[in-house]
Amino acid sequence: MIVRPARHDELSALATAVAGQELLVRYEISSTRLAQLLAEALGRGEPVLVADDAGTARGFAWYLYAGTLGVGGYLRLIVLTPGAAGRGAGGALLDAVEADVAARARHLFLLVSHWNQGARRFYARRGYAEVGRLPAFVRADTDEIICWKR
């Protein structure tokens, strides 16, 4: 498994591969919209990394270097293709994000939906503390949990 920068020419296929994930379905983000968001992110110079397993993309991470409370990076989205969970892609992506952000900031933040217990366990195992809650921040039926790691 290698982690590498995303390429514009793969965004549509990558978005299609992950579009059925519960997080994206609940937030009503179609594959077309996701591909557009990722292309716009790359256009702004925001990093998007891909977990590549022998030429097959297993997921991606999109993040910002700074801006969160003026002191840290922000993991916007990390999502894996079906069947990739538990095979190291998520950990490899998060390791790469943390290393990249750490070169510029002392903190990394992320939001996780209150119902996403698997993600909450993943981040807790990786040393993230749940430090706050944003009730109905994006959707009326979902609270966002603020997670932080120094």
Side-chain angles (χ1 to χ4, degrees), residues 42-146:
L42 289 180
R44 289 188 300 269
E46 295 172 7
V48 178
L49 299 177
V50 172
D52 187 316
D53 183 12
T56 301
R58 299 295 181 196
F60 69 87
W62 170 18
Y63 58 104
L64 305 173
Y65 292 119
T68 309
L69 305 175
V71 297
Y74 175 64
L75 178 60
R76 293 203 57 164
L77 180 62
I78 188 169
V79 64
L80 303 177
T81 60
R87 296 182 174 191
L93 284 166
L94 192 55
D95 286 344
V97 169
E98 289 175 352
D100 198 18
V101 170
R104 296 164 175 85
R106 292 184 48 214
H107 307 273
L108 183 60
F109 295 86
L110 61 94
L111 297 178
V112 63
S113 304
H114 78 273
W115 52 262
N116 196 341
Q117 295 301 320
R120 290 175 73 182
R121 285 190 301 272
F122 172 73
Y123 293 122
R125 284 192 309 270
R126 299 295 306 253
Y128 286 81
E130 293 188 357
V131 297
R133 189 178 200 102
L134 299 169
F137 184 63
V138 178
R139 293 183 50 89
D141 63 348
T142 301
D143 292 350
E144 301 297 337
I145 307 299
I146 305 167

Side-chain angles (χ1 to χ4, degrees), residues 22-42:
E22 183 179 8
L23 177 71
L24 298 171
V25 170
R26 281 195 188 212
Y27 285 83
E28 300 173 4
I29 300 173
S30 68
S31 62
T32 302
R33 179 69 178 136
L34 181 57
Q36 177 186 11
L37 290 169
L38 293 173
E40 290 169 356
L42 289 180

